[in-house]
Amino acid sequence: MTDTASHEDPLLVAGQSYGSRLLVGTGKYQDLEQTRLAVEASGAEIITIAVRRTNMGQDRDQPNILDVLPPDRYRILPNTAGCYDVDSAVRTCRLARELLDGHNLVKLEVLGDERTLFPDVVATIQAAETLVKEGFDVMVYTNDDPIVAKRLEEIGCVAVMPLAAPIGSGLGIRNPLNIRTIVENARVPILVDAGVGTASDAAVAMELGCDGVLMNTAIAAARDPIMMAGAMRKAVEAGREAYLAGRMPAKRFASASSPIEGLFF
């Protein structure tokens, strides 16, 4: 359940409203029960699932993740993790639509190589163009290049998701100025995706003006994933409130907290 403040300041994606600005993945957990508990602790409403790596009904003999994360409770965001070319990414999205009975919201990622997991920008743009034409609502993983981000928006992606750092690295936001530029130029939601390591990273992303944060490893690889999920929830909420409140101007020299005029003695 989301609080009143969340309802007054919802995340809007593809015409849908969400109370939580934290999106979480489902990989790298010990088991499905730990996945369920961490997702609950995060307060996330949008849950991303790697279609090529997770059973969503493709294999009737294996546990189905949708049994613990039911689509009537969560907005399932199938993703194309593990795809390194346009054709495989597009096929994966089509499969997800079949498995989820016409579901059109997808997370697109087309990777360039296995070592860095950086996006292949050219292939990402090509896949996005195809998927948008086929009626998909595309949330797209990309690098932190403002020009590329704007191009993906112009194609028709419903959200652009620049990386903070390499996937699973936990390095935090390496290029905050680029992220800020992307945010300032965007007319669609901007969500930091990949590279967050701890709660302060999530708060920084939100303080930069991002509309949300998507993470997986930062929670799943923590010593206590469930506790970390709760910490990330609070960090995203605090970062959003700080952004809306407007931080004080940074100054080079000291400024007295109390007025210096009208001293008593």
Side-chain angles (χ1 to χ4, degrees):
M1 180 172 296
T2 55
D3 59 23
T4 302
S6 296
H7 286 297
E8 293 174 349
D9 178 39
L11 170 64
L12 299 174
V13 179
Q16 296 293 314
S17 175
Y18 303 94
S20 174
R21 292 176 178 272
L22 173 60
L23 292 68
V24 297
T26 54
K28 301 184 179 180
Y29 289 99
Q30 291 180 358
D31 50 38
L32 289 182
E33 177 62 9
Q34 187 183 66
T35 305
R36 181 185 69 81
L37 292 173
V39 169
E40 287 184 357
S42 75
E45 298 172 45
I46 302 177
I47 313 300
T48 188
I49 298 175
V51 179
R52 302 187 73 188
R53 297 170 175 164
T54 310
N55 183 34
M56 299 170 56
Q58 307 97 307
D59 188 342
R60 297 180 183 275
D61 297 326
Q62 296 296 321
N64 187 336
I65 195 169
L66 300 182
D67 290 337
V68 296
L69 299 174
D72 60 352
R73 179 174 179 183
Y74 299 103
R75 179 67 161 173
I76 303 301
L77 178 63
N79 71 59
T80 62
C83 293
Y84 290 85
D85 59 78
V86 174
D87 289 343
S88 63
V90 171
R91 284 199 308 272
T92 299
C93 290
R94 291 169 179 163
L95 173 61
R97 183 154 61 183
E98 291 180 12
L99 291 171
L100 295 171
D101 298 324
H103 181 98
N104 285 325
L105 185 67
V106 295
K107 180 196 168 190
L108 171 65
E109 54 183 79
V110 186
L111 303 177
D113 66 78
E114 294 183 359
R115 182 165 181 251
T116 66
L117 299 182
F118 282 145
D120 180 330
V121 172
V122 174
T124 297
I125 289 173
Q126 292 173 347
E129 289 174 334
T130 297
L131 291 169
V132 169
K133 289 177 182 177
E134 293 187 10
F136 284 94
D137 293 323
V138 180
M139 302 176 69
V140 58
Y141 165 71
T142 184
N143 59 16
D144 58 3
D145 184 333
I147 305 303
V148 173
K150 194 63 181 178
R151 174 65 180 139
L152 290 165
E153 176 186 328
E154 291 168 348
I155 287 170
C157 295
V158 299
V160 177
M161 309 175 76
L163 57 81
I167 292 173
S169 67
L171 290 173
I173 298 176
R174 297 291 86 194
N175 200 337
L177 295 180
N178 272 22
I179 297 295
R180 186 187 296 276
T181 300
I182 291 171
V183 169
E184 290 174 346
N185 291 335
R187 295 184 179 179
V188 297
I190 302 298
L191 299 92
V192 157
D193 177 16
V196 168
T198 190
S200 57
D201 299 329
V204 168
M206 299 306 296
E207 290 170 5
L208 288 170
C210 291
D211 296 279
V213 181
L214 188 150
M215 66 183 72
N216 185 178
T217 307
I219 295 175
R223 186 171 62 250
D224 186 332
I226 298 166
M227 182 179 291
M228 182 62 80
M232 292 298 190
R233 176 179 186 169
K234 298 181 185 78
V236 167
E237 292 172 353
R240 179 63 178 178
E241 289 185 9
Y243 171 73
L244 294 176
R247 65 156 291 156
M248 62 168 283
K251 300 177 181 179
R252 182 179 176 188
F253 298 109
S255 176
S257 298
S258 55
I260 61 174
E261 298 84 6
L263 300 179
F264 288 102
F265 59 88

